[in-house]
């Protein structure tokens, strides 16, 4: 299976590969800069070379980059909107520089009171500007829209909303999705048992197409179904529970995709414990013949 987690880039982006290797990851996610500031990170040539070299000498592939949390492609404020578009393009440039097969994950945006339809149209317009400019720059980064928990005014909490955004984009080949299990559960998709998981996957296929699904953020949820709260929990320790994850990681539509953990890191052993737990769930199989 492809399993990894979000790893820190502290002390240099090249260190992330070493960290992921130590945890037994064969895929991973990073930020390419500090995710909570607008300040751009200038990537030094030797840092990029060292990162790419480390990656080449590892079995870690693919690598996903998550965008900064400040970017809001649905913002009704023109200032924040265009700042977000520019910051996103900078993130795309860095992704292209760092990765042979670059993927950039983004939470679609929050309308902050202007209304859902307004927000969706705003996101579509932003995506089209980004797709056009990045094509001019010959960037090959693929954009992955992530489903959200729907807290506050965040959009993308149904797969139908993601469909609307993708449909509005002119160059749809360069847009895929990231499926976050905590977010989906908090938004009302019951992933705690087989039936709910099958219904969710059917909905993803109907609206977005499973071929567009490139990565799964594997997170348990600290809050109950439909709570609309984005709070991740250790695998099996939240409301989705171990049985839900056993079904998810063994499901025929998902098992060959990369799974990335974004579970809490209170203790330095937490990632290793969660990764090993997920690996043990695969060993159990899909349970279609023998129930646990
Ligand atoms: Zn996520
Ligand atoms: Zn989240």
């Amino acid at each position: 299976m492809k399993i990894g987690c979000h790893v820190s880039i502290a002390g240099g982006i090249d260190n992330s590969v070493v960290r992921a290797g130590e945890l037994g990851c064969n895929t991973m996610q990073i930020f390419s800069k500090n995710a909570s500031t607008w300040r751009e990170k200038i990537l030094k040539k030797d840092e990029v070379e060292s990162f790419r070299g480390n990656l080449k000498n590892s079995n870690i592939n693919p690598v996903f980059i998550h965008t900064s949390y400040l970017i809001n492609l649905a913002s009704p404020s023109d200032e924040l909107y265009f700042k977000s578009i520019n910051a996103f393009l900078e993130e795309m440039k860095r992704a292209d520089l760092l990765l042979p097969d670059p993927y950039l994950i983004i939470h679609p945006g929050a309308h902050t009171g202007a209304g859902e339809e307004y927000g969706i149209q705003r996101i579509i317009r932003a995506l089209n500007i980004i797709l056009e400019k990045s094509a001019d720059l010959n960037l090959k980064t693929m954009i992955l829209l992530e489903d959200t928990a729907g807290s506050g005014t965040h959009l993308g909490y149904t797969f139908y909303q993601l469909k609307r955004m993708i449909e509005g984009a002119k160059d749809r080949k360069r847009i895929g999705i990231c499926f976050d299990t905590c977010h989906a559960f908090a938004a009302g998709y019951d992933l705690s048992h087989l039936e709910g998981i099958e219904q969710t996957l059917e909905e993803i296929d109907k609206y977005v197409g499973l071929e567009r699904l490139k990565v799964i953020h594997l997170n348990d949820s600290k809050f109950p179904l439909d709570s609309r709260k984005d709070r991740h929990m250790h695998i099996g320790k939240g409301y989705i529970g171990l049985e839900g994850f056993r079904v998810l990681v063994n499901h025929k539509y998902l098992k060959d995709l990369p799974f990335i953990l974004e579970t809490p890191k209170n203790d330095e052993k937490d990632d290793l414990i969660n990764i090993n737990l997920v690996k043990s769930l695969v060993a159990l199989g899909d349970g279609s013949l023998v129930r646990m």
Side-chain angles (χ1 to χ4, degrees):
M1 83 177 304
K2 283 270 169 205
I3 175 81
C5 62
H6 185 100
V7 285
S8 157
I9 57 163
I13 221 157
D14 44 342
N15 288 341
S16 60
V17 186
V18 181
R19 285 189 186 104
E22 283 166 1
L23 292 166
C25 302
N26 53 9
T27 179
M28 68 172 191
Q29 177 176 278
I30 54 169
F31 293 124
S32 72
K33 53 170 280 193
N34 182 331
S36 35
T37 73
W38 285 106
R39 205 164 355 101
E40 291 301 334
K41 183 179 170 71
I42 310 289
L43 287 171
K44 288 187 231 92
K45 197 166 169 260
D46 55 343
E47 192 182 352
V48 174
E49 272 169 16
S50 167
F51 175 83
R52 292 188 68 125
N54 286 355
L55 213 53
K56 218 173 176 176
N57 292 323
S58 76
N59 62 346
I60 299 166
N61 176 51
V63 174
F64 300 90
I65 297 180
H66 198 294
T67 53
S68 152
Y69 295 127
L70 300 179
I71 293 177
N72 183 3
L73 300 181
S75 175
S77 144
D78 275 343
E79 194 194 338
L80 185 58
Y81 184 65
F82 290 106
K83 197 172 180 177
S84 295
I85 289 172
N86 284 331
F88 191 90
L89 279 162
E90 289 305 315
E91 296 242 19
M92 279 181 108
K93 287 185 203 164
R94 283 198 304 276
D96 254 64
L97 203 61
L98 290 165
L99 301 172
D101 298 303
Y103 290 103
L104 193 56
I105 298 173
I106 179 146
H107 298 175
H111 63 75
T112 67
E116 293 197 337
E117 188 54 33
Y118 174 91
I120 288 171
Q121 294 306 327
R122 200 81 163 153
I123 291 165
I124 291 171
R125 186 175 160 214
L127 287 175
N128 282 323
I129 296 171
I130 288 162
L131 287 166
E132 200 181 310
K133 291 208 170 167
S134 59
D136 290 345
L137 294 165
N138 277 322
L139 301 179
K140 55 180 191 294
T141 295
M142 184 157 192
I143 301 166
L144 302 182
L145 301 174
E146 179 170 351
D147 66 308
T148 67
S151 59
T153 62
H154 281 278
L155 293 162
Y157 60 88
T158 65
F159 295 102
Y160 180 71
Q161 286 183 343
L162 294 183
K163 165 204 159 89
R164 296 275 324 278
M165 296 167 198
I166 296 166
E167 240 175 26
K170 287 191 188 103
D171 184 7
R172 284 172 225 167
K173 291 190 303 297
R174 288 167 57 217
I175 304 184
I177 67 159
C178 164
F179 168 37
D180 187 306
T181 55
C182 165
H183 298 174
F185 186 81
Y189 294 94
D190 192 351
L191 304 176
S192 65
H193 55 78
L194 178 64
E195 202 190 333
I197 290 169
E198 299 248 283
Q199 274 174 12
T200 305
L201 295 178
E202 265 169 41
E203 196 173 316
I204 295 177
D205 197 33
K206 179 175 156 198
Y207 289 132
V208 180
L210 281 165
E211 69 286 353
R212 262 189 222 283
L213 176 56
K214 302 297 175 193
V215 57
I216 297 131
H217 278 172
L218 206 62
N219 302 309
D220 210 332
S221 175
K222 194 176 178 180
F223 289 100
L225 182 69
D226 212 9
S227 62
R228 296 286 196 97
K229 286 195 179 118
D230 180 2
R231 288 290 293 282
H232 302 187
M233 197 51 190
H234 299 293
I235 302 300
K237 299 271 165 59
Y239 280 88
I240 295 178
L242 222 43
E243 170 64 8
F245 287 102
R246 188 182 62 81
V247 174
L248 282 163
V249 298
N250 288 292
H251 196 283
K252 62 179 180 201
Y253 292 153
L254 306 179
K255 67 183 176 62
D256 296 323
L257 288 168
F259 293 99
I260 301 282
L261 296 161
E262 297 172 315
T263 39
K265 298 176 197 281
N266 307 321
D267 187 277
E268 68 172 295
K269 289 212 171 61
D270 280 347
D271 281 337
L272 193 62
I273 291 169
N274 282 307
I275 286 171
N276 288 337
L277 178 59
V278 171
K279 286 179 180 172
S280 75
L281 294 175
V282 172
L284 288 170
D286 67 3
S288 55
L289 293 173
V290 185
R291 299 296 299 174
M292 274 173 81

